[in-house]
Amino acid sequence: MAKVAIVMGSTSDWPTMQQAAKMLQSFGVEFDAKVVSAHRTPNLLVEFAEGAAEQGFSVIIAGAGGAAHLPGMIAAHTHLPVFGCPVKSKALNGLDSLLSIVQMPKGVAVGTLAIGEAGAANAGLLAAQVVALQKPEVAEAIKQFRQKQTDTVLENSKLELD
């Protein structure tokens, strides 16, 4: 079964990254979430990234704040698609994380999402869409999700003056 890895540099990133997990769960996509720090556990990072495909992962979602090297370093050690989620930082409110993740050199790709919870949720959605290429039941769940979004907007689209 295709599954998605959700990795983050610290447990403090989990409130943001669990939005990716919730999105994957809603589509019935198997995932595994773990802490892998680019700076504090570099050997674990290499071991994880180099073995991810053999572990059955098809996509990796990596969340990081501050210097945010985790997504890029994972991408450097695997052929799997990596989606980077900038986590809000105290110093620069996540802008530092965004710039660190999005500025990858040519030849090492990381798909970068928005800062914070919306970006993490969209990373989960994007990972599910990749899985859906091989799993029709996930594709159907995504179609239903999209239709529900459309229906909700249309049901609540009437504007009135106060």
Side-chain angles (χ1 to χ4, degrees), residues 11 25 49 63 65 71 78 96 107 109 126 147 156:
T11 56
Q25 185 177 50
T78 186
D96 50 343
L126 194 55
Q147 187 60 54
N156 298 300

Side-chain angles (χ1 to χ4, degrees), residues 81-136:
V82 177
F83 300 131
C85 297
V87 175
K88 282 188 179 181
S89 59
K90 290 179 183 174
L92 297 172
N93 210 26
L95 184 58
D96 50 343
S97 311
L98 174 65
L99 294 175
S100 293
I101 296 171
V102 79
Q103 283 301 115
M104 292 299 299
K106 180 179 178 181
V108 183
V110 172
T112 308
L113 285 295
I115 297 168
E117 291 184 5
N122 280 340
L125 174 58
L126 194 55
Q129 290 172 308
V130 171
V131 170
L133 294 171
Q134 297 179 346
K135 301 188 95 25

Side-chain angles (χ1 to χ4, degrees), residues 36-50:
V36 178
S37 172
H39 302 113
R40 294 178 292 268
T41 62
N43 294 333
L44 177 61
L45 180 150
V46 172
E47 179 184 318
F48 163 76
E50 290 181 350

Side-chain angles (χ1 to χ4, degrees), residues 18 35 40 43-45 52 55 60-61 63 73-74 76-77 87 103 112 116 126 132 135 139 144-145 153 156:
Q18 69 180 323
V35 173
R40 294 178 292 268
N43 294 333
L44 177 61
L45 180 150
Q55 296 274 328
I60 300 170
I61 299 171
M73 289 305 299
I74 289 174
H77 288 280
V87 175
Q103 283 301 115
T112 308
L126 194 55
K135 301 188 95 25
Q144 290 175 10
F145 169 77
V153 169
N156 298 300

